[in-house]
Each structure stands twice: as structure tokens, then as C-alpha cells.
Amino acid sequence: MNQFPDLTSFSLEAVLTILGMAAVTYGMRLGGLLMADRLPQHGRWAHVLERLPGAVLISVWVPSALSAGAIGIAGAVATVVTMALARNLFAAMAVGMVLVGIGRYFFG
């Protein structure tokens, strides 16, 4: 018979880790808010900073799609095409996820 772990008790290490991650996360957000006035609003660096979130997202997304094989690549292509045509992020993500899900169901 399978034994499920006891989820009603926490170790001190787990609680301290969670609190530490929360402090770092909110510290980064607060730092961003406090530094926003000092960031360039015009020019080359402003343009670079505008594009940075997309670059970070792509640096995570592309290796994941490539490591998933043909199905992952097809899902990525479907996502990009849907975004280019519909200009709707939710629709693009839904099309990519549905395509990958169907592909994994039928093709393993």
C-alpha cells in the first residue's frame, strides 16, 4: 500500500528557505520600484531595457521547445504563428499547449 508523506508538519529548513525566497523576491520587486526613476527613458539603453523581458523569456523558451523534440518545435512554431496572426497572447499560448498536448497523447 502506498504511504503518502505527512504534509501537516514543516521542517525548520523548509520554512526558512521559503521565507528567504520570499524576502529575495519582494526585495527584487522593491528594488525595481525604487530604481525605476533612475533608468534611462530615452535612447539606446531605454530600447535595450524594453526588449530585455522578451529576450529572457526566449532564452528559457527555446531550449525547452528544442529539448521536447518535434512536438515541442511544432508547438513553438504554432505559438509564434498564432501570435503573429491574432496578436493575442492567451490564444497563442493555448494553441501551442493544445498542439503539444495532442501530439504527446497521440505520438508519445
Side-chain angles (χ1 to χ4, degrees):
M1 185 169 187
N2 290 337
Q3 291 289 344
F4 293 104
D6 180 22
L7 300 177
T8 59
S9 63
F10 298 101
S11 68
L12 178 62
E13 292 85 9
V15 172
L16 290 176
T17 300
I18 292 169
L19 291 174
M21 290 188 314
V24 168
T25 299
Y26 288 109
M28 294 294 287
R29 290 180 179 214
L30 180 62
L33 288 173
L34 295 175
M35 300 239 351
D37 294 343
R38 297 185 177 131
L39 295 175
Q41 304 298 320
H42 304 288
R44 172 175 256 158
W45 281 108
H47 184 72
V48 168
L49 291 173
E50 283 179 12
R51 302 292 180 239
L52 191 59
V56 171
L57 182 62
I58 288 173
S59 72
V60 172
W61 181 61
V62 170
S64 297
L66 293 177
S67 69
I71 295 297
I73 294 169
V77 169
T79 301
V80 170
V81 168
T82 303
M83 187 63 188
L85 296 176
R87 299 281 184 199
N88 184 326
L89 181 61
F90 179 76
M93 290 172 48
V95 166
M97 289 189 310
V98 167
L99 182 69
V100 169
I102 290 171
R104 286 183 177 172
Y105 180 79
F106 286 111
F107 302 114

Coordinates of all heavy atoms in Angstrom, one line a residue:
M1 N 0.8 -1.2 0.0 CA 0.0 0.0 0.0 C 0.9 1.2 0.0 O 1.9 1.3 0.7 CB -0.9 0.0 1.2 CG -1.9 1.1 1.3 SD -3.0 0.7 2.6 CE -4.1 2.0 2.3
N2 N 0.5 2.2 -0.8 CA 1.3 3.5 -0.9 C 1.1 4.3 0.4 O 0.0 4.5 0.9 CB 0.9 4.3 -2.1 CG 1.3 3.6 -3.4 OD1 2.2 2.8 -3.4 ND2 0.6 4.0 -4.4
Q3 N 2.2 4.8 0.9 CA 2.2 5.7 2.0 C 2.4 7.2 1.5 O 3.3 7.4 0.8 CB 3.3 5.4 3.0 CG 3.1 4.1 3.7 CD 2.0 4.2 4.7 OE1 1.5 5.3 5.1 NE2 1.5 3.0 5.2
F4 N 1.5 8.0 1.9 CA 1.6 9.4 1.5 C 2.5 10.2 2.5 O 2.4 9.9 3.7 CB 0.3 10.1 1.3 CG -0.5 9.5 0.2 CD1 -1.5 8.6 0.4 CD2 -0.2 9.9 -1.1 CE1 -2.2 8.1 -0.7 CE2 -0.9 9.4 -2.2 CZ -1.9 8.5 -2.0
P5 N 3.2 11.1 2.1 CA 4.0 11.9 3.1 C 3.1 12.7 4.0 O 2.0 13.2 3.6 CB 4.9 12.8 2.2 CG 4.3 12.9 0.9 CD 3.5 11.6 0.8
D6 N 3.6 13.0 5.2 CA 2.9 13.8 6.1 C 3.1 15.3 5.7 O 4.2 15.8 5.8 CB 3.4 13.6 7.6 CG 2.6 14.5 8.6 OD1 1.5 14.9 8.3 OD2 3.2 14.7 9.7
L7 N 2.0 15.9 5.3 CA 2.1 17.3 4.8 C 1.6 18.3 5.9 O 1.5 19.5 5.6 CB 1.3 17.5 3.5 CG 1.7 16.6 2.3 CD1 0.8 16.9 1.1 CD2 3.2 17.0 2.0
T8 N 1.4 17.8 7.1 CA 0.9 18.7 8.1 C 2.1 19.3 9.0 O 1.8 20.1 9.8 CB -0.1 18.0 9.0 OG1 0.6 16.9 9.6 CG2 -1.3 17.5 8.2
S9 N 3.3 18.8 8.8 CA 4.4 19.4 9.6 C 5.5 19.9 8.6 O 5.6 19.4 7.5 CB 5.0 18.3 10.5 OG 5.5 17.2 9.7
F10 N 6.2 20.9 9.1 CA 7.2 21.5 8.3 C 8.5 21.5 9.1 O 8.6 21.6 10.3 CB 6.9 23.0 8.0 CG 5.6 23.2 7.2 CD1 4.5 23.5 7.9 CD2 5.6 23.0 5.9 CE1 3.3 23.7 7.2 CE2 4.4 23.1 5.1 CZ 3.3 23.5 5.8
S11 N 9.6 21.3 8.3 CA 10.9 21.3 9.0 C 11.3 22.8 9.0 O 10.9 23.6 8.3 CB 11.9 20.5 8.2 OG 12.2 21.1 7.0
L12 N 12.2 23.1 10.0 CA 12.7 24.5 10.1 C 13.4 24.9 8.8 O 13.3 26.1 8.4 CB 13.6 24.6 11.3 CG 14.3 25.9 11.6 CD1 13.2 27.0 11.8 CD2 15.3 25.9 12.7
E13 N 14.2 24.0 8.2 CA 14.9 24.3 7.0 C 13.9 24.7 5.9 O 14.2 25.7 5.1 CB 15.8 23.2 6.5 CG 16.9 22.9 7.5 CD 16.5 21.9 8.6 OE1 15.4 21.4 8.6 OE2 17.3 21.8 9.5
A14 N 12.8 24.0 5.7 CA 11.9 24.3 4.7 C 11.2 25.7 4.9 O 11.1 26.5 4.0 CB 10.8 23.3 4.6
V15 N 10.9 26.0 6.2 CA 10.2 27.3 6.5 C 11.2 28.4 6.2 O 10.9 29.5 5.6 CB 9.7 27.3 7.9 CG1 9.3 28.7 8.3 CG2 8.6 26.3 8.1
L16 N 12.5 28.3 6.7 CA 13.5 29.3 6.4 C 13.8 29.5 5.0 O 14.0 30.6 4.5 CB 14.8 29.0 7.2 CG 14.7 29.1 8.7 CD1 16.0 28.6 9.4 CD2 14.3 30.5 9.2
T17 N 13.8 28.4 4.2 CA 14.0 28.5 2.7 C 12.9 29.3 2.1 O 13.1 30.2 1.3 CB 14.1 27.1 2.1 OG1 15.2 26.4 2.7 CG2 14.3 27.2 0.6
I18 N 11.7 29.0 2.4 CA 10.5 29.7 1.9 C 10.5 31.2 2.2 O 10.3 32.0 1.4 CB 9.2 29.0 2.3 CG1 9.1 27.6 1.6 CG2 8.0 29.9 1.9 CD1 8.0 26.8 2.2
L19 N 10.8 31.5 3.5 CA 10.9 32.9 3.9 C 12.0 33.6 3.2 O 11.9 34.8 2.8 CB 11.0 32.9 5.4 CG 9.8 32.5 6.2 CD1 10.1 32.5 7.7 CD2 8.6 33.4 5.9
G20 N 13.2 32.9 3.1 CA 14.3 33.5 2.4 C 14.0 33.8 0.9 O 14.3 34.9 0.4
M21 N 13.3 32.9 0.2 CA 12.9 33.1 -1.2 C 11.9 34.2 -1.3 O 12.0 35.0 -2.2 CB 12.4 31.8 -1.8 CG 13.4 30.8 -2.0 SD 12.9 29.3 -2.9 CE 11.4 28.9 -2.2
A22 N 11.0 34.3 -0.3 CA 10.0 35.4 -0.4 C 10.7 36.8 -0.1 O 10.4 37.7 -0.8 CB 9.0 35.2 0.7
A23 N 11.7 36.8 0.8 CA 12.4 38.1 1.0 C 13.2 38.5 -0.2 O 13.2 39.7 -0.6 CB 13.3 37.9 2.2
V24 N 13.8 37.6 -0.9 CA 14.6 37.9 -2.1 C 13.6 38.4 -3.2 O 13.9 39.4 -3.9 CB 15.4 36.7 -2.5 CG1 16.0 36.9 -3.9 CG2 16.5 36.4 -1.5
T25 N 12.5 37.7 -3.4 CA 11.6 38.0 -4.4 C 11.0 39.5 -4.2 O 11.0 40.3 -5.1 CB 10.4 37.0 -4.5 OG1 10.9 35.7 -4.8 CG2 9.4 37.4 -5.5
Y26 N 10.5 39.7 -3.0 CA 10.0 41.0 -2.7 C 11.1 42.1 -2.7 O 10.8 43.3 -3.0 CB 9.1 41.0 -1.5 CG 7.8 40.3 -1.7 CD1 7.6 39.1 -1.2 CD2 6.9 40.8 -2.6 CE1 6.4 38.4 -1.5 CE2 5.7 40.2 -2.9 CZ 5.5 38.9 -2.3 OH 4.3 38.3 -2.6
G27 N 12.3 41.7 -2.3 CA 13.4 42.7 -2.3 C 13.7 43.1 -3.7 O 14.0 44.3 -4.0
M28 N 13.7 42.1 -4.7 CA 13.9 42.5 -6.1 C 12.8 43.4 -6.6 O 13.1 44.3 -7.4 CB 14.0 41.2 -6.9 CG 15.2 40.3 -6.6 SD 16.7 41.1 -7.0 CE 16.7 40.9 -8.7
R29 N 11.6 43.1 -6.3 CA 10.5 44.0 -6.7 C 10.6 45.4 -6.2 O 10.4 46.3 -6.9 CB 9.1 43.3 -6.3 CG 8.8 42.1 -7.1 CD 7.5 41.5 -6.7 NE 7.2 40.4 -7.5 CZ 6.0 40.0 -7.9 NH1 5.0 40.7 -7.6 NH2 5.9 38.9 -8.6
L30 N 10.9 45.5 -4.9 CA 11.1 46.8 -4.3 C 12.2 47.5 -4.9 O 12.1 48.7 -5.1 CB 11.3 46.6 -2.7 CG 11.4 47.9 -2.0 CD1 10.2 48.8 -2.1 CD2 11.7 47.6 -0.5
G31 N 13.3 46.8 -5.1 CA 14.5 47.4 -5.7 C 14.1 48.0 -7.1 O 14.6 49.0 -7.5
G32 N 13.4 47.2 -7.9 CA 12.9 47.7 -9.2 C 12.1 48.9 -9.1 O 12.2 49.8 -9.9
L33 N 11.2 49.0 -8.1 CA 10.4 50.1 -8.0 C 11.2 51.4 -7.6 O 11.0 52.5 -8.1 CB 9.3 49.9 -6.9 CG 8.1 49.0 -7.4 CD1 7.2 48.7 -6.2 CD2 7.3 49.6 -8.5
L34 N 12.1 51.2 -6.7 CA 12.9 52.3 -6.2 C 13.9 52.8 -7.3 O 14.3 53.9 -7.3 CB 13.7 51.9 -5.0 CG 12.8 51.6 -3.7 CD1 13.7 51.1 -2.6 CD2 12.1 52.8 -3.3
M35 N 14.4 51.9 -8.2 CA 15.3 52.3 -9.2 C 14.7 52.7 -10.5 O 15.4 53.2 -11.4 CB 16.3 51.1 -9.5 CG 17.0 50.6 -8.3 SD 18.8 50.7 -8.4 CE 19.3 51.0 -10.0
A36 N 13.4 52.6 -10.6 CA 12.7 52.9 -11.9 C 12.9 54.3 -12.3 O 13.0 54.6 -13.5 CB 11.2 52.6 -11.8
D37 N 13.0 55.2 -11.4 CA 13.2 56.6 -11.8 C 14.6 56.9 -12.3 O 14.8 57.8 -13.1 CB 13.0 57.5 -10.6 CG 11.6 57.5 -10.0 OD1 10.7 57.1 -10.8 OD2 11.4 57.9 -8.9
R38 N 15.5 56.1 -12.0 CA 16.9 56.3 -12.4 C 17.2 55.6 -13.8 O 18.3 55.8 -14.3 CB 17.9 55.8 -11.4 CG 17.7 56.5 -10.1 CD 18.7 56.1 -9.0 NE 18.5 56.9 -7.9 CZ 18.4 56.5 -6.6 NH1 18.5 55.2 -6.4 NH2 18.3 57.3 -5.6
L39 N 16.3 54.8 -14.3 CA 16.6 54.1 -15.6 C 16.4 55.1 -16.7 O 15.6 56.0 -16.6 CB 15.6 52.9 -15.7 CG 15.8 51.8 -14.7 CD1 14.7 50.7 -14.9 CD2 17.2 51.2 -14.9
P40 N 17.2 54.9 -17.8 CA 17.0 55.8 -18.9 C 15.6 55.7 -19.6 O 15.1 54.6 -19.7 CB 18.1 55.4 -19.9 CG 18.5 54.0 -19.5 CD 18.2 53.9 -18.0
Q41 N 15.1 56.8 -19.9 CA 13.7 56.9 -20.5 C 13.8 57.0 -22.0 O 12.8 56.7 -22.7 CB 12.9 58.0 -19.9 CG 12.8 58.0 -18.4 CD 12.0 56.8 -17.9 OE1 11.1 56.3 -18.6 NE2 12.5 56.2 -16.9
H42 N 15.0 57.4 -22.6 CA 15.1 57.6 -24.0 C 16.5 57.1 -24.4 O 17.4 57.0 -23.6 CB 15.0 59.1 -24.3 CG 13.8 59.8 -23.9 ND1 12.6 59.5 -24.5 CD2 13.5 60.6 -22.9 CE1 11.6 60.2 -23.8 NE2 12.2 60.9 -22.8
G43 N 16.6 56.8 -25.7 CA 17.9 56.4 -26.2 C 18.1 54.9 -26.3 O 17.1 54.1 -26.1
R44 N 19.3 54.5 -26.6 CA 19.7 53.1 -26.9 C 19.4 52.2 -25.6 O 18.9 51.2 -25.8 CB 21.1 53.1 -27.3 CG 21.6 51.6 -27.4 CD 23.0 51.6 -27.9 NE 22.9 51.1 -29.3 CZ 23.7 51.3 -30.2 NH1 24.8 52.0 -30.0 NH2 23.5 50.9 -31.4
W45 N 19.8 52.7 -24.4 CA 19.6 51.8 -23.3 C 18.2 51.6 -22.9 O 17.8 50.6 -22.4 CB 20.4 52.4 -22.1 CG 21.9 52.0 -22.2 CD1 22.9 52.8 -22.5 CD2 22.4 50.7 -22.1 NE1 24.1 52.1 -22.5 CE2 23.8 50.8 -22.3 CE3 21.9 49.5 -21.8 CZ2 24.7 49.7 -22.2 CZ3 22.8 48.4 -21.7 CH2 24.1 48.5 -21.9
A46 N 17.4 52.7 -23.1 CA 15.9 52.5 -22.9 C 15.3 51.5 -23.8 O 14.5 50.6 -23.4 CB 15.2 53.9 -23.1
H47 N 15.8 51.5 -25.1 CA 15.3 50.5 -26.0 C 15.8 49.1 -25.6 O 15.0 48.1 -25.7 CB 15.9 50.8 -27.4 CG 15.4 49.9 -28.5 ND1 14.1 49.9 -28.9 CD2 16.0 48.9 -29.2 CE1 13.9 49.0 -29.9 NE2 15.1 48.4 -30.1
V48 N 17.0 48.9 -25.2 CA 17.5 47.6 -24.7 C 16.7 47.1 -23.5 O 16.3 45.9 -23.5 CB 19.0 47.7 -24.3 CG1 19.5 46.5 -23.6 CG2 19.8 47.9 -25.6
L49 N 16.4 48.0 -22.6 CA 15.7 47.6 -21.4 C 14.2 47.2 -21.7 O 13.6 46.4 -21.0 CB 15.7 48.7 -20.3 CG 17.1 48.9 -19.7 CD1 17.1 50.1 -18.8 CD2 17.6 47.7 -18.9
E50 N 13.7 47.8 -22.7 CA 12.3 47.5 -23.1 C 12.3 46.1 -23.7 O 11.3 45.3 -23.5 CB 11.8 48.4 -24.2 CG 11.4 49.8 -23.7 CD 10.9 50.7 -24.8 OE1 10.7 50.2 -26.0 OE2 10.7 51.9 -24.6
R51 N 13.3 45.6 -24.4 CA 13.4 44.3 -25.0 C 13.9 43.2 -24.1 O 13.8 42.1 -24.5 CB 14.3 44.4 -26.3 CG 13.8 45.4 -27.3 CD 12.5 45.0 -27.9 NE 12.1 46.0 -28.9 CZ 11.0 46.7 -28.9 NH1 10.1 46.5 -27.9 NH2 10.7 47.5 -29.8
L52 N 14.4 43.6 -23.0 CA 15.0 42.6 -22.1 C 14.1 41.5 -21.6 O 14.4 40.3 -21.7 CB 15.7 43.3 -20.9 CG 16.6 42.4 -20.1 CD1 17.7 41.8 -20.9 CD2 17.2 43.2 -18.9
P53 N 12.8 41.8 -21.2 CA 12.0 40.7 -20.7 C 11.7 39.6 -21.8 O 11.7 38.4 -21.6 CB 10.7 41.4 -20.3 CG 11.1 42.8 -20.0 CD 12.3 43.1 -20.9
G54 N 11.5 40.1 -23.0 CA 11.3 39.2 -24.1 C 12.5 38.3 -24.4 O 12.4 37.1 -24.7
A55 N 13.7 38.9 -24.3 CA 14.9 38.1 -24.5 C 15.1 37.1 -23.4 O 15.5 35.9 -23.7 CB 16.1 39.1 -24.5
V56 N 14.8 37.4 -22.2 CA 14.9 36.4 -21.1 C 13.9 35.3 -21.3 O 14.2 34.1 -21.2 CB 14.7 37.1 -19.7 CG1 14.5 36.1 -18.6 CG2 15.8 38.1 -19.5
L57 N 12.7 35.6 -21.7 CA 11.6 34.6 -22.0 C 12.1 33.7 -23.1 O 11.9 32.5 -23.0 CB 10.3 35.3 -22.3 CG 9.1 34.4 -22.5 CD1 8.8 33.6 -21.3 CD2 7.9 35.2 -23.0
I58 N 12.6 34.2 -24.1 CA 13.0 33.4 -25.3 C 14.2 32.5 -24.9 O 14.3 31.4 -25.3 CB 13.3 34.3 -26.5 CG1 12.0 34.8 -27.1 CG2 14.1 33.5 -27.5 CD1 12.2 35.8 -28.2
S59 N 15.1 33.0 -24.0 CA 16.2 32.2 -23.6 C 15.8 31.0 -22.8 O 16.6 30.0 -22.7 CB 17.3 33.1 -22.9 OG 16.8 33.4 -21.6
V60 N 14.7 31.1 -22.2 CA 14.1 29.9 -21.4 C 13.3 29.1 -22.3 O 13.3 27.8 -22.2 CB 13.3 30.4 -20.2 CG1 12.6 29.3 -19.5 CG2 14.2 31.1 -19.2
W61 N 12.5 29.7 -23.2 CA 11.5 29.0 -24.0 C 12.1 28.2 -25.1 O 11.7 27.0 -25.3 CB 10.6 30.1 -24.6 CG 9.5 29.6 -25.4 CD1 8.5 28.8 -25.1 CD2 9.2 30.0 -26.8 NE1 7.6 28.6 -26.1 CE2 8.1 29.4 -27.2 CE3 9.9 30.8 -27.7 CZ2 7.5 29.5 -28.4 CZ3 9.4 31.0 -28.9 CH2 8.2 30.3 -29.3
V62 N 13.1 28.7 -25.8 CA 13.7 28.0 -27.0 C 14.3 26.7 -26.6 O 14.1 25.6 -27.2 CB 14.6 28.9 -27.8 CG1 15.4 28.1 -28.8 CG2 13.8 30.0 -28.5
P63 N 15.2 26.7 -25.6 CA 15.8 25.4 -25.2 C 14.8 24.3 -24.8 O 14.9 23.1 -25.0 CB 16.8 25.7 -24.1 CG 17.1 27.1 -24.2 CD 15.8 27.7 -24.8
S64 N 13.7 24.8 -24.1 CA 12.6 23.9 -23.7 C 11.9 23.3 -24.9 O 11.7 22.1 -24.9 CB 11.6 24.6 -22.8 OG 12.2 25.0 -21.6
A65 N 11.7 24.1 -25.9 CA 11.0 23.6 -27.1 C 11.9 22.7 -27.8 O 11.4 21.6 -28.3 CB 10.6 24.8 -28.0
L66 N 13.2 23.0 -27.9 CA 14.1 22.1 -28.7 C 14.3 20.8 -28.0 O 14.4 19.7 -28.6 CB 15.4 22.8 -28.9 CG 15.4 24.0 -29.8 CD1 16.8 24.7 -29.9 CD2 14.9 23.7 -31.2
S67 N 14.3 20.8 -26.6 CA 14.5 19.6 -25.9 C 13.3 18.7 -25.9 O 13.4 17.5 -25.7 CB 15.0 19.8 -24.5 OG 13.9 20.4 -23.7
A68 N 12.1 19.2 -26.3 CA 10.9 18.5 -26.3 C 10.8 17.7 -27.7 O 9.9 17.0 -27.9 CB 9.7 19.3 -26.1
G69 N 11.7 18.0 -28.6 CA 11.7 17.3 -29.9 C 10.8 18.0 -30.9 O 10.4 19.1 -30.8
A70 N 10.3 17.2 -31.8 CA 9.5 17.7 -32.9 C 8.2 18.3 -32.4 O 7.7 19.3 -33.0 CB 9.2 16.6 -33.9
I71 N 7.6 17.6 -31.4 CA 6.3 18.1 -30.9 C 6.5 19.5 -30.3 O 5.7 20.4 -30.4 CB 5.7 17.1 -29.9 CG1 5.3 15.8 -30.6 CG2 4.5 17.7 -29.1 CD1 4.3 16.0 -31.6
G72 N 7.6 19.7 -29.5 CA 7.9 21.0 -28.9 C 8.2 22.0 -29.9 O 7.7 23.2 -29.8
I73 N 8.9 21.7 -30.9 CA 9.2 22.7 -32.0 C 7.9 23.0 -32.7 O 7.7 24.2 -33.0 CB 10.2 22.1 -33.0 CG1 11.6 21.9 -32.2 CG2 10.4 23.0 -34.2 CD1 12.6 21.2 -33.0
A74 N 7.0 22.0 -33.0 CA 5.7 22.3 -33.7 C 4.9 23.2 -32.8 O 4.2 24.2 -33.3 CB 5.0 21.0 -34.0
G75 N 4.9 23.0 -31.5 CA 4.1 23.8 -30.6 C 4.7 25.3 -30.6 O 3.9 26.2 -30.5
A76 N 6.0 25.4 -30.6 CA 6.6 26.7 -30.6 C 6.3 27.5 -31.9 O 5.9 28.7 -31.8 CB 8.1 26.6 -30.4
V77 N 6.4 26.8 -33.0 CA 6.0 27.4 -34.3 C 4.5 27.8 -34.3 O 4.2 28.9 -34.7 CB 6.4 26.5 -35.4 CG1 5.8 27.0 -36.7 CG2 7.9 26.3 -35.5
A78 N 3.7 26.9 -33.8 CA 2.2 27.3 -33.8 C 2.0 28.5 -32.9 O 1.1 29.3 -33.2 CB 1.4 26.1 -33.3
T79 N 2.7 28.6 -31.8 CA 2.5 29.7 -30.9 C 2.9 31.0 -31.5 O 2.2 32.0 -31.5 CB 3.4 29.5 -29.6 OG1 2.9 28.3 -29.0 CG2 3.2 30.6 -28.6
V80 N 4.1 31.0 -32.2 CA 4.6 32.2 -32.9 C 3.7 32.6 -34.0 O 3.3 33.8 -34.1 CB 6.0 31.9 -33.4 CG1 6.5 33.1 -34.3 CG2 7.0 31.8 -32.2
V81 N 3.2 31.6 -34.8 CA 2.3 32.0 -35.9 C 1.0 32.5 -35.4 O 0.5 33.5 -35.9 CB 2.1 30.7 -36.8 CG1 1.0 30.9 -37.8 CG2 3.4 30.3 -37.5
T82 N 0.4 31.9 -34.4 CA -0.8 32.4 -33.8 C -0.7 33.8 -33.2 O -1.5 34.6 -33.4 CB -1.3 31.4 -32.7 OG1 -1.5 30.1 -33.2 CG2 -2.7 31.9 -32.1
M83 N 0.5 34.0 -32.6 CA 0.7 35.4 -32.0 C 0.8 36.4 -33.2 O 0.3 37.5 -33.0 CB 2.0 35.4 -31.1 CG 2.2 36.7 -30.4 SD 0.8 37.0 -29.3 CE 1.3 38.6 -28.7
A84 N 1.5 36.0 -34.2 CA 1.7 36.9 -35.4 C 0.4 37.3 -36.0 O 0.1 38.4 -36.5 CB 2.7 36.4 -36.4
L85 N -0.5 36.3 -36.1 CA -1.8 36.5 -36.8 C -2.8 37.1 -35.9 O -3.6 38.0 -36.3 CB -2.3 35.2 -37.4 CG -1.4 34.5 -38.5 CD1 -2.0 33.1 -38.9 CD2 -1.3 35.4 -39.7
A86 N -3.0 36.6 -34.7 CA -4.1 37.0 -33.8 C -3.7 38.2 -32.9 O -4.6 38.8 -32.4 CB -4.6 35.8 -33.0
R87 N -2.4 38.3 -32.6 CA -1.9 39.3 -31.7 C -2.6 39.2 -30.3 O -3.0 40.2 -29.7 CB -2.2 40.8 -32.2 CG -1.5 41.1 -33.5 CD -0.1 41.4 -33.2 NE 0.6 41.8 -34.4 CZ 1.9 41.8 -34.6 NH1 2.7 41.4 -33.6 NH2 2.4 42.2 -35.7
N88 N -2.8 37.9 -29.9 CA -3.5 37.6 -28.7 C -2.6 36.6 -27.9 O -2.5 35.4 -28.3 CB -4.9 37.0 -28.9 CG -5.7 36.8 -27.7 OD1 -5.1 36.4 -26.6 ND2 -7.0 37.0 -27.8
L89 N -2.0 37.0 -26.8 CA -1.1 36.1 -26.1 C -1.8 34.9 -25.6 O -1.2 33.8 -25.7 CB -0.4 36.9 -25.0 CG 0.6 36.2 -24.1 CD1 1.7 35.7 -25.0 CD2 1.1 37.0 -23.0
F90 N -3.0 35.0 -25.0 CA -3.7 33.9 -24.5 C -4.0 32.9 -25.5 O -3.8 31.7 -25.4 CB -5.0 34.3 -23.8 CG -5.8 33.2 -23.2 CD1 -5.3 32.6 -22.1 CD2 -6.9 32.7 -23.9 CE1 -6.0 31.5 -21.5 CE2 -7.6 31.6 -23.4 CZ -7.2 31.0 -22.2
A91 N -4.5 33.3 -26.7 CA -4.8 32.4 -27.8 C -3.5 31.7 -28.3 O -3.5 30.5 -28.6 CB -5.4 33.2 -28.9
A92 N -2.4 32.5 -28.4 CA -1.2 31.9 -28.9 C -0.7 30.8 -27.9 O -0.3 29.7 -28.3 CB -0.1 32.9 -29.0
M93 N -0.7 31.1 -26.6 CA -0.3 30.1 -25.6 C -1.2 28.9 -25.6 O -0.8 27.7 -25.5 CB -0.3 30.7 -24.2 CG 0.8 31.7 -24.1 SD 0.8 32.7 -22.5 CE 0.5 31.4 -21.3
A94 N -2.5 29.1 -25.7 CA -3.5 28.0 -25.8 C -3.2 27.1 -27.0 O -3.2 25.9 -26.9 CB -4.9 28.5 -25.8
V95 N -3.0 27.7 -28.2 CA -2.8 26.9 -29.4 C -1.5 26.0 -29.2 O -1.5 24.9 -29.5 CB -2.7 27.8 -30.6 CG1 -2.1 27.1 -31.8 CG2 -4.1 28.4 -30.9
G96 N -0.5 26.6 -28.7 CA 0.8 25.9 -28.5 C 0.6 24.8 -27.5 O 1.1 23.6 -27.8
M97 N 0.0 25.0 -26.4 CA -0.2 24.0 -25.4 C -1.1 22.9 -25.9 O -0.8 21.7 -25.6 CB -0.7 24.6 -24.1 CG 0.3 25.4 -23.4 SD -0.2 26.0 -21.7 CE -1.8 26.6 -21.9
V98 N -2.2 23.2 -26.6 CA -3.1 22.2 -27.1 C -2.4 21.3 -28.1 O -2.5 20.1 -28.1 CB -4.4 22.8 -27.6 CG1 -5.2 21.9 -28.4 CG2 -5.2 23.4 -26.5
L99 N -1.7 22.0 -29.0 CA -0.9 21.2 -30.0 C 0.1 20.2 -29.4 O 0.1 19.1 -29.8 CB -0.2 22.1 -31.0 CG 0.5 21.4 -32.1 CD1 -0.5 20.8 -33.1 CD2 1.4 22.4 -32.9
V100 N 0.8 20.7 -28.4 CA 1.8 19.8 -27.7 C 1.1 18.7 -27.0 O 1.5 17.5 -27.0 CB 2.7 20.6 -26.8 CG1 3.5 19.7 -25.9 CG2 3.6 21.5 -27.6
G101 N 0.0 19.0 -26.3 CA -0.8 18.0 -25.6 C -1.3 17.0 -26.5 O -1.2 15.7 -26.2
I102 N -1.9 17.4 -27.6 CA -2.5 16.4 -28.6 C -1.3 15.6 -29.2 O -1.4 14.3 -29.3 CB -3.3 17.1 -29.7 CG1 -4.6 17.7 -29.1 CG2 -3.6 16.2 -30.8 CD1 -5.3 18.6 -30.0
G103 N -0.2 16.2 -29.5 CA 0.9 15.5 -30.1 C 1.5 14.5 -29.1 O 1.8 13.3 -29.5
R104 N 1.6 14.8 -27.8 CA 2.1 13.9 -26.9 C 1.1 12.7 -26.6 O 1.5 11.6 -26.4 CB 2.4 14.6 -25.5 CG 3.7 15.4 -25.6 CD 4.0 16.1 -24.3 NE 5.3 16.8 -24.4 CZ 5.7 17.6 -23.5 NH1 5.1 17.7 -22.3 NH2 6.8 18.2 -23.7
Y105 N -0.2 13.0 -26.7 CA -1.2 12.0 -26.5 C -1.1 11.0 -27.6 O -1.2 9.8 -27.4 CB -2.6 12.6 -26.4 CG -3.7 11.6 -26.1 CD1 -3.9 11.1 -24.9 CD2 -4.5 11.2 -27.2 CE1 -4.9 10.2 -24.7 CE2 -5.5 10.3 -27.0 CZ -5.7 9.8 -25.7 OH -6.7 8.8 -25.5
F106 N -1.1 11.4 -28.8 CA -1.1 10.5 -30.0 C 0.2 10.0 -30.4 O 0.3 8.9 -30.9 CB -1.8 11.2 -31.2 CG -3.3 11.4 -31.0 CD1 -3.8 12.6 -30.9 CD2 -4.1 10.3 -31.0 CE1 -5.2 12.8 -30.7 CE2 -5.5 10.4 -30.9 CZ -6.0 11.6 -30.7
F107 N 1.3 10.7 -30.2 CA 2.6 10.3 -30.7 C 3.6 10.0 -29.6 O 4.7 9.7 -29.8 CB 3.2 11.3 -31.6 CG 2.3 11.6 -32.8 CD1 1.7 12.9 -32.9 CD2 2.0 10.7 -33.7 CE1 0.9 13.2 -34.0 CE2 1.2 10.9 -34.8 CZ 0.6 12.2 -34.9
G108 N 3.2 10.1 -28.3 CA 4.0 9.7 -27.2 C 4.9 10.8 -26.7 O 5.8 10.7 -26.1

